[in-house]
Amino acid sequence: MHTFQLIRPDTAADAVRIGAQTGPQLDASHPIRFLAGGTTLLDLMKLDVEQPQQVLDINRLPLRQVELTPDGGLEIGALVRNSDLANHPLVMQRYPVLSQALLSGASAQLRNMATTGGNLLQRTRCAYFRDTAMACNKRAPGSGCSAIDGFNRNLAILGGSDHCIATNPSDMNVALTALEATIHVQGVSGTRALAIDEFYLLPGDTPQRETVLEPGDLITHVTLPAPVPATHSTYLKLRDRASYEFALASAGVALGASLGYITHARVALGGVGTKPWRSREAEAVLLGASPSVETFVRAAQAAVRTAIPRSENAFKIDLVQRCLVQALLTVASADRRSA
């Protein structure tokens, strides 16, 4: 680990001001990093993947709220720990897909440290990104992508490019995508609100830039819209082992039906995309259709229509379809029981 300066700003404005002092954009070479739980950043610093000159510890900032908004939604502070959020009564009762996703991630010890804001910015687990001896366009732009023809079993089949096929590793972000979360950011030019589906960038030819954040931008909180009446949600994660493992495929879904027809459908996929993957193709099949196995299979087929498998991950095309169908069956069953 390289030597760095630790700074503890007292206000969000101070954090933004210091964070914006240097660097052309918030990417892997930026010399300033915000520190919350540190569950990803410290690992990457030890591996020399991240080499910040300054680390801004933001844990003193008052960003730990979990409270209802005036319109019936939920506001979640950026420093809320994953374990606290997963077990919060408002989340468990109103947004079960989020609670389930958080509890399926990492270990209990890591969930006690990891934060909402940090999880939104969680870096990929691609082995080549974490190994500085290997070519990786995300870590070292222009060096190449070792994963394209290398070990890519765990990597993306949706949203990749010739420059990068690294998978977004977060469970929480899949659930937030299905819930249509809004990310609130404070920067040098003021505050702004970003829809989560617009927050993440596809790798294209600039895989080192993963989000729309600019230097100094600080995530302050996340808001969720009020739950849609008569809608049920769930998160299903498929992985190689039952605990402390990243998804090979996952699905976060929210489904509502009335008079035998689907009236609300939100589908997000994990483990298969270069960002938390909202499948509007699957949603289009579901809306207005009867909630049946046949409908769910057609939706799953639509979700992978643009998939591009590599040498070792073609199995994910079938796996994520099975995962999505099962998740949809689960919420459809809950809807029938509550009818």
Side-chain angles (χ1 to χ4, degrees):
M1 183 184 292
H2 290 249
T3 301
F4 61 91
Q5 180 185 18
L6 180 65
I7 302 172
R8 291 191 172 97
D10 292 318
T11 67
D14 288 341
V16 169
R17 176 180 53 79
I18 298 169
Q21 285 178 352
T22 59
Q25 61 184 21
L26 191 64
D27 61 24
S29 63
H30 197 281
I32 297 177
R33 285 287 183 261
F34 294 127
L35 173 68
T39 56
T40 294
L41 177 61
L42 294 181
D43 277 352
L44 295 178
M45 289 172 66
K46 292 174 183 178
L47 294 170
D48 284 340
V49 173
E50 293 270 9
Q51 299 179 14
Q53 298 170 14
Q54 293 180 323
V55 173
L56 276 59
D57 182 347
I58 61 172
N59 283 288
R60 294 181 179 181
L61 305 184
L63 305 174
R64 302 181 188 275
Q65 73 277 17
V66 181
E67 55 194 26
L68 292 173
T69 60
D71 62 357
L74 195 68
E75 180 175 311
I76 304 163
L79 291 178
V80 176
R81 306 296 172 176
N82 285 179
S83 55
D84 293 335
L85 186 59
N87 293 293
H88 197 286
L90 288 173
V91 176
M92 296 174 68
Q93 294 164 12
R94 297 163 64 87
Y95 306 98
V97 62
L98 178 56
S99 178
Q100 293 164 11
L102 287 164
L103 291 174
S104 75
S107 64
Q109 294 89 340
L110 287 172
R111 291 195 296 271
N112 286 340
M113 290 299 297
T115 64
T116 301
N119 205 322
L120 284 165
L121 300 176
Q122 188 178 173
R123 307 301 300 277
T124 182
R125 303 299 293 195
C126 176
Y128 300 107
F129 171 73
R130 296 169 64 87
D131 184 349
T132 58
M134 305 301 295
C136 171
N137 288 319
K138 185 178 289 293
R139 174 174 35 78
S143 63
C145 178
S146 300
I148 296 288
D149 297 313
F151 176 67
N152 50 49
R153 178 177 181 269
N154 298 330
L155 302 184
I157 58 173
L158 292 167
S161 72
D162 291 338
H163 300 276
C164 183
I165 55 171
T167 313
N168 185 286
S170 172
D171 296 293
M172 182 194 80
N173 296 341
V174 177
L176 290 181
T177 299
L179 294 171
E180 298 183 289
T182 298
I183 300 168
H184 298 261
V185 175
Q186 183 170 338
V188 293
S189 300
T191 61
R192 63 192 193 277
L194 304 164
I196 189 168
D197 204 32
E198 299 172 356
F199 179 75
Y200 295 99
L201 300 174
L202 293 174
D205 58 4
T206 56
Q208 73 277 11
R209 187 148 196 229
E210 299 172 356
T211 73
V212 298
L213 293 181
E214 299 292 341
D217 279 353
L218 176 69
I219 297 172
T220 56
H221 61 285
V222 173
T223 53
L224 304 178
V228 177
T231 294
H232 298 273
S233 68
T234 196
Y235 184 74
L236 178 61
K237 179 178 182 178
L238 305 181
R239 45 191 164 175
D240 284 326
R241 59 189 182 197
S243 65
Y244 196 28
E245 183 63 279
F246 293 89
L248 289 172
S250 68
V253 300
L255 203 68
S258 178
L259 302 176
Y261 295 96
I262 297 170
T263 56
H264 177 81
R266 295 295 181 268
V267 174
L269 305 175
V272 293
T274 54
K275 67 176 189 175
W277 198 261
R278 170 110 179 245
S279 180
R280 286 180 170 80
E281 298 84 355
E283 294 170 5
V285 172
L286 294 168
L287 284 172
S290 172
S292 63
V293 173
E294 293 76 18
T295 297
F296 299 158
V297 168
R298 288 193 292 109
Q301 291 170 341
V304 296
R305 198 160 288 147
T306 60
I308 300 177
R310 303 293 172 169
S311 58
E312 298 178 350
N313 64 3
F315 72 96
K316 285 192 175 189
I317 293 179
D318 182 59
L319 186 67
V320 74
Q321 290 183 77
R322 292 173 181 267
C323 182
L324 178 53
V325 169
Q326 184 58 49
L328 291 168
L329 286 170
T330 298
V331 291
S333 176
D335 182 69
R336 286 193 295 270
R337 289 196 301 269
S338 63

